[in-house]
Amino acid sequence: MTLKTYVPNSEGVTCTRVVEILKDNILLAKSETTWCFMDSNRMRPTRITDEIKNIFL
């Protein structure tokens, strides 16, 4: 079994994360979620910095 996760796009304060579960190269399940980047000090959404983008892209 193979588990894939990736970020196909990132804009402003959100990004999309995709998770795929495959067995013998057959797609068994796929999910897509929208994540919102938060400023932990202000507890508000904030733009995703290039430093953070580079970790996940």
Side-chain angles (χ1 to χ4, degrees):
M1 195 158 318
T2 304
L3 176 68
K4 292 183 180 180
T5 183
Y6 54 93
V7 177
N9 62 43
S10 173
E11 295 180 30
V13 299
T14 63
C15 69
T16 303
R17 176 168 295 279
V18 175
V19 176
E20 298 176 342
I21 301 172
L22 301 101
K23 183 175 183 182
D24 300 325
N25 287 329
I26 298 170
L27 183 63
L28 302 177
K30 181 177 181 177
S31 71
E32 187 173 307
T33 56
T34 301
W35 291 30
C36 179
F37 193 65
M38 299 290 290
D39 180 318
S40 61
N41 294 321
R42 297 183 316 143
M43 298 305 293
R44 296 190 56 131
T46 189
R47 285 200 170 275
I48 301 170
T49 64
D50 287 339
E51 180 182 15
I52 298 296
K53 283 182 187 179
N54 291 335
I55 292 172
F56 294 101
L57 297 179

